[in-house]
Amino acid sequence: MFRLGKLILICLTCIIATTNSATSRKNVEELNEDNWNRMLTGEWMVEFFAPWCPACKDLEPIWSDLGDRKRELGINVGKVDVTDSPGLSGRFMVTALPTIYHVKDGLFRQYKSPRDRDSLVNFVRSKTWIKVQPISSWKSPTSIQMSIISQFFKMSQVLRAIHTKLMEDFGLPTWGSYLIFAIATIIIGAILGLLIVCVIDFIYPPKPAKSQNYSRKGKETGERKDKNSDDEDFIENVKDDLVDEEGSESGKEPEKSEKSEKAPEASASSPNARKRKPRKDD
């Protein structure tokens, strides 16, 4: 009879403990990449943890107690397993575990105070979070750039799983797996580069070759015209110099006849006489 009563007592204790643990789990909401945007409404305290983290295991009973007090404090308490949701670890830039965030109406503040019960409760009850500078809009988890970073974190998790599968299931050595990744990276980079070039050519198409040839021809003809005009001026200047020299030589010989004296005067006064053009400055 005594053994039966002891057995019943143990069963009741186990049932109560299981009920309490289930209640605590309900009080602490599990968030992931599908429902993480729930923390954008209201006030939240969110923990980022990993099952293998010793510090996270030490914080677990304290965090469960905070979940039990969420109605008293008027907040929501959640937690994120970074091994199941690697994208959120990149979105929130989680570099150490455990990492705690306070979220109020879409404003994110990182909790860096002691992780005991009293400190966590006073942080919420006394509104100490007001003194903490919120994360800038550039690093906000809701920004576009952080969404892109979260996709890279997801991709890294997928690549790690592929690497593990190649080594365990197919028996490839480590260097063989890395070689496959290197070749795939080169091929993907070449394809992306080709796509980028095609997009640039579509947005900014190159000028047609005919118009370029016409413009070159126009420049060449213009240069030829300028060169011809310069040659003509040079020839005219040479002719003027020859005329001046002939005139000076004829002046040296004295002329006795009156006809020869009158000839220059007549040539100067005649309208058909060629006038000397002023020389251009070199």
Side-chain angles (χ1 to χ4, degrees), residues 1-10:
M1 189 70 180
F2 178 75
R3 291 180 179 178
L4 182 60
K6 190 175 181 180
L7 184 60
I8 294 171
L9 181 60
I10 292 172

Side-chain angles (χ1 to χ4, degrees), residues 253-273:
E253 297 179 356
E255 296 290 339
K256 294 180 180 180
S257 61
E258 295 178 357
K259 292 182 180 179
S260 61
E261 290 178 355
K262 294 180 181 179
E265 294 178 357
S267 62
S269 59
S270 62
N272 296 326

Side-chain angles (χ1 to χ4, degrees), residues 200-207:
I200 293 174
D201 288 341
F202 179 77
I203 297 174
Y204 301 102
K207 294 180 179 179

